[in-house]
């Protein structure tokens, strides 16, 4: 069984356009939204957060989009805990997931997340098709990385099985959507019991790179191939069964 999930970071105003495209193709998704952004990027308003929350899962992404490895443990604990509290007040729904800004975190930050009451945390580790109980991995980002960048990512993390598994696909494709389709096609042939295809990205990046058509092309493929879509939290629940 192949499941598709997607997650979108930073809460840029372009998340509204993104949510409309996801709805067009009946896709579930998770938006990880900070309450503000110290990098001077605009963030959706509370009203827009409520609007997105009507159709999608909202996860926390710290209060101020601070990289947790650049601040004290006390500040990190605050950013993790307070973002959940404030977001739940805004959307009037429980917030189950947390995403590390920049994917940066220490081991004790994971403990803070579960102490704060989150059910899962999302990393930006790519080329993964499964998750463990605590940390959620991803498969690809909506960005056309170089082949060098992909292999560097895998080698840095010691993902030697993933290098062996995906090397041919990486070398054969120059665009992320075609690479993802190749990965899915190979998983279909294997008839794996449970595969999670996790796409992540930023709506502001889609806008800056004018890559909306590339995303829409892939979403159309997912819908036409009847791949079941789920939110990140729904995927986390599958993992913990």
């Amino acid at each position: 069984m192949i499941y598709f999930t997607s997650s979108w970071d930073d809460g840029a105003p372009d998340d509204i356009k993104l949510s409309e495209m996801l709805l067009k193709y009946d896709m579930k998704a998770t938006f990880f939204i900070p309450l503000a952004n110290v990098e001077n990027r605009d963030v959706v308003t509370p009203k827009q957060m409520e609007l997105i929350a009507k159709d999608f899962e909202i996860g926390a992404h710290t209060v101020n989009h601070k990289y947790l490895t650049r601040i004290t443990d006390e500040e990190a604990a605050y950013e993790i805990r307070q973002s959940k509290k404030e977001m739940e007040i805004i959307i009037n729904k429980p917030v189950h997931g947390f995403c590390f800004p920049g994917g940066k975190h220490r081991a004790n930050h994971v403990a803070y997340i579960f102490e704060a009451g989150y059910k899962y945390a999302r990393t930006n580790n790519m080329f993964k098709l499964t998750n463990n109980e605590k940390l959620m991995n991803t498969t690809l980002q909506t960005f056309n990385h170089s082949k060098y960048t992909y292999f560097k990512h895998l080698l840095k993390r010691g993902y030697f099985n993933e290098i062996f598994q995906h090397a041919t696909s990486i070398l054969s494709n120059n665009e992320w959507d075609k690479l993802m389709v190749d990965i899915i096609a190979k998983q279909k042939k294997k008839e794996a019991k449970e595969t999670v295809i996790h796409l992540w990205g930023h709506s502001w990046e889609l806008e800056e790179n004018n890559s909306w058509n590339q995303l829409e092309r892939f979403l159309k493929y997912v819908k036409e191939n009847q791949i079941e879509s789920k939110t990140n939290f729904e995927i986390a629940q599958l993992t913990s069964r």
Side-chain angles (χ1 to χ4, degrees):
M1 183 69 180
I2 298 178
Y3 297 105
F4 171 67
T5 191
S6 67
S7 51
W8 308 94
D9 301 354
D10 294 1
D14 290 308
D15 278 4
I16 299 301
K17 179 178 178 178
L18 174 58
S19 66
E20 291 170 352
M21 182 180 289
L22 291 165
L23 285 173
K24 177 181 176 181
Y25 291 96
D26 301 317
M27 295 293 154
K28 294 183 178 181
T30 300
F31 288 79
F32 290 103
I33 303 176
L35 300 172
N37 195 320
V38 293
E39 297 172 329
N40 294 319
R41 286 195 176 276
D42 291 335
V43 176
V44 287
T45 66
K47 285 292 184 183
Q48 289 172 320
M49 293 178 194
E50 287 184 88
L51 179 64
I52 294 171
K54 288 181 180 179
D55 298 296
F56 302 98
E57 179 193 5
I58 300 291
H61 201 38
T62 72
V63 176
N64 298 296
H65 199 261
K66 290 184 177 181
Y67 282 29
L68 300 183
T69 53
R70 298 178 183 173
I71 57 180
T72 66
D73 284 345
E74 183 179 2
E75 289 177 295
Y78 170 81
E79 291 282 336
I80 291 167
R81 181 180 63 250
Q82 194 65 21
S83 56
K84 185 179 195 299
K85 289 181 179 179
E86 294 191 34
M87 185 62 74
E88 288 180 336
I89 292 171
I90 292 171
I91 66 174
N92 195 29
K93 287 183 178 181
V95 172
H96 298 299
F98 179 90
C99 178
F100 305 101
K104 308 294 184 182
H105 67 280
R106 300 190 185 99
N108 58 323
H109 298 153
V110 177
Y112 296 162
I113 285 163
F114 293 99
E115 288 169 5
Y118 293 99
K119 303 298 184 184
Y120 71 94
R122 202 216 79 198
T123 71
N124 61 2
N125 296 328
M126 294 192 291
F127 290 97
K128 290 291 188 175
L129 304 171
T130 58
N131 298 290
N132 62 37
E133 292 184 6
K134 291 187 176 181
L135 297 179
M136 180 171 291
N137 299 307
T138 70
T139 309
L140 282 183
Q141 182 185 2
T142 56
F143 187 87
N144 295 325
H145 291 291
S146 68
K147 294 174 175 59
Y148 168 79
T149 298
Y150 283 137
F151 283 116
K152 180 181 176 182
H153 176 94
L154 293 169
L155 285 168
K156 184 178 180 181
R157 290 161 175 77
Y159 290 171
F160 301 112
N161 288 337
E162 284 73 17
I163 292 174
F164 177 78
Q165 186 176 7
H166 301 298
T168 303
S169 297
I170 294 171
L171 292 170
S172 302
N173 296 283
N174 293 318
E175 297 178 290
W176 69 259
D177 61 311
K178 294 177 180 177
L179 174 54
M180 188 75 102
V181 168
D182 196 14
I183 290 172
I184 293 172
K186 289 179 179 178
Q187 289 302 304
K188 283 184 174 182
K189 289 181 180 178
K190 290 181 180 179
E191 296 183 353
K193 288 184 179 179
E194 197 167 279
T195 296
V196 176
I197 301 297
H198 190 150
L199 180 68
W200 76 279
H202 310 90
S203 63
W204 60 262
E205 204 165 50
L206 293 170
E207 183 67 21
E208 286 184 2
N209 296 326
N210 193 28
S211 53
W212 292 102
N213 289 340
Q214 193 175 2
L215 174 62
E216 186 159 20
R217 185 169 65 198
F218 179 71
L219 295 178
K220 185 178 180 181
Y221 165 85
V222 172
K223 184 174 178 63
E224 288 177 346
N225 282 268
Q226 300 180 321
I227 299 173
E228 184 177 350
S229 91
K230 292 184 176 292
T231 65
N232 283 195
F233 179 52
E234 289 173 333
I235 293 296
Q237 289 177 305
L238 287 175
T239 304
S240 63
R241 287 184 308 190

